[in-house]
Amino acid sequence: MPNPKALPPVAPAKLAVWADQAGTPYLVQQQPDGSTTFTPLETALAQAQTPTTPERVTNYRDPLNTLLLGIAVVLGFVLGGYLLGFFAGAAGQRVVIVPRSPLCDTHRSSFLFWSSETKECH
């Protein structure tokens, strides 16, 4: 029974690194025509590291996406309020708003022949 954790058989690689008897590493490349090229590893690494220009990252957002996101947030708050009211009603919590007339306080003051009356409503 084969080991399930074993790696599958490796096909011949098109790139490999070999060292000669002196210890100098070479990059070995298999060409499509079947030939093999040996390049010193330092030269291959220097060629592979081409300078790249850094990409500029902007925080620009599409105005349509911003508008749609805003509409979704407002709609979420409205639907969340309705959902909260629904669950409060299902739990037996009733909210009743009863209008009432304003409460007014009347202040009377008099001094000798002068009298005044002020009305303060809340």
Side-chain angles (χ1 to χ4, degrees):
M1 180 170 164
N3 185 357
K5 293 184 180 180
L7 294 174
V10 179
K14 299 212 180 248
L15 290 176
V17 177
W18 293 90
D20 61 4
Q21 292 178 351
T24 308
Y26 289 93
L27 178 67
V28 181
Q29 289 180 314
Q30 180 89 23
Q31 301 298 327
D33 62 357
S35 63
T36 305
T37 58
F38 293 86
T39 310
L41 191 59
E42 292 178 9
T43 307
L45 289 176
Q47 291 173 353
Q49 294 176 352
T50 58
T52 58
T53 57
E55 293 184 22
R56 183 179 174 139
V57 177
T58 60
N59 291 333
Y60 173 73
R61 291 190 180 182
D62 187 17
L64 180 62
N65 286 346
T66 306
L67 176 69
L68 292 175
L69 182 64
I71 290 173
V73 167
V74 169
L75 189 61
F77 277 121
V78 170
L79 291 177
Y82 280 122
L83 190 65
L84 186 65
F86 172 77
F87 284 131
Q93 302 292 324
R94 300 286 186 239
V95 178
V96 179
I97 299 173
V98 179
R100 62 180 181 147
S101 59
L103 296 175
C104 296
D105 295 329
T106 305
H107 300 285
R108 293 187 182 113
S109 64
S110 62
F111 181 71
L112 294 177
F113 300 108
W114 181 269
S115 65
S116 67
E117 184 175 307
T118 56
K119 198 178 224 185
E120 218 178 277
C121 294
H122 302 282

